[in-house]
Amino acid sequence: MKTSEKIIQLLKTQGPLTAKVLASELSLTTMGVRQHMQGLEDDGDVIFEDKKAARGRPTRFWSLTSKSNSHFSDRHEELSVQLIDSVITVFGDSGLEKLITHREQASLALYQQSMLDKTSLIDKLNALAELRSREGYMASIVEDESCYWLMENHCPICAAASKCLNFCRSELNLFQTILSDEATVSREEHIIEGARRCAYRVTPLPAVNASTQ
């Protein structure tokens, strides 16, 4: 993977970063990273924001633009939108809803099958993140003091979801169904609404907490 591609991957998964942090992550000099950032900026893949520091000059943070999405899997965005339009034209809104429901049920069966041997909530979440990453969502699990977070740094069906928000509703419902016996799930950040990623808060149910103590 080229250095510029590694930079894009880091910004995608970690959010805005300084050249100094990128240099540390990539074992490069800060000057070398700045040269790469200039090239990425010229290509329209990154932008920067200078944030006021406690002392001295402002600190420059780099982040990705929407144009950078071309570096990631898009599941044939244009075709997806065309198919949605065709389904609505031929079968109506109810036909599209049936298609989304079928997709949700198929995913539910696949995910549940993959979790048959997983007994703890964290094991199930790690399995879920692995499955989602295989599908292009760049997913990971972060443990907080009172909950877990399912982070999805990319949406490979973004065009379809933008066209029909029921895809997003379906995915949230899928997570809630899979983990209903052990946790509640809520979406706190949403790419479609302009966030950098989709972030799902997974809060263990009180009974689960008690049984693990």
Side-chain angles (χ1 to χ4, degrees):
M1 186 183 296
K2 296 180 180 178
T3 299
S4 59
E5 294 173 346
K6 292 179 181 178
I7 289 173
I8 289 175
Q9 288 283 339
L10 285 170
L11 293 176
K12 186 70 169 175
T13 57
Q14 298 186 31
L17 297 173
T18 65
K20 183 177 180 180
V21 172
L22 287 167
S24 176
E25 291 280 350
L26 298 170
S27 299
L28 297 172
T29 64
T30 303
M31 181 60 69
V33 167
R34 289 193 179 115
Q35 291 175 349
H36 286 289
M37 301 314 295
Q38 183 62 57
L40 289 170
E41 184 183 18
D42 291 342
D43 291 338
D45 289 319
V46 300
I47 56 175
F48 65 81
E49 179 183 1
D50 290 333
K51 296 184 179 180
K52 186 177 180 180
R55 295 181 181 179
R57 295 180 299 176
T59 302
R60 176 160 296 183
F61 285 83
W62 293 92
S63 59
L64 296 178
T65 66
S66 58
K67 183 178 181 297
S68 69
N69 285 332
S70 63
H71 294 274
F72 303 95
S73 173
D74 61 12
R75 292 271 182 101
H76 309 292
E77 291 189 353
E78 184 176 353
L79 177 60
S80 297
V81 172
Q82 290 174 348
L83 287 173
I84 289 173
D85 287 336
S86 296
V87 169
I88 294 174
T89 299
V90 177
F91 302 106
D93 291 335
S94 62
L96 178 60
E97 185 59 31
K98 288 180 180 179
L99 184 149
I100 293 173
T101 299
H102 178 270
R103 175 179 180 270
E104 180 182 327
Q105 292 173 344
S107 295
L108 177 62
L110 173 63
Y111 293 0
Q112 288 179 329
Q113 180 66 32
S114 299
M115 295 181 188
L116 286 177
D117 61 339
K118 306 298 187 295
T119 56
S120 68
L121 177 58
I122 185 59
D123 286 344
K124 291 180 180 179
L125 287 172
N126 285 330
L128 178 60
E130 182 178 349
L131 287 166
R132 298 290 286 180
S133 290
R134 290 178 188 171
E135 295 173 4
Y137 290 87
M138 298 178 68
S140 63
I141 300 299
V142 177
E143 186 172 357
D144 208 339
E145 291 183 359
S146 59
C147 66
Y148 298 97
W149 291 89
L150 169 62
M151 303 296 192
E152 295 189 339
N153 293 289
H154 183 59
C155 179
I157 63 165
C158 192
S162 298
K163 180 72 174 179
C164 179
L165 289 176
N166 280 348
F167 280 103
C168 295
R169 184 269 306 158
S170 175
E171 294 201 327
L172 176 58
N173 186 59
L174 174 62
F175 299 153
Q176 291 172 334
T177 301
I178 291 172
L179 303 172
S180 61
D181 291 338
E182 298 176 74
T184 60
V185 183
S186 62
R187 185 191 290 115
E188 303 298 329
E189 296 179 39
H190 199 185
I191 291 175
I192 298 302
E193 296 179 355
R196 178 179 66 82
R197 63 193 176 188
C198 286
Y200 297 87
R201 182 198 297 270
V202 181
T203 306
L205 296 174
V208 176
N209 283 334
S211 66
T212 57
Q213 291 179 355

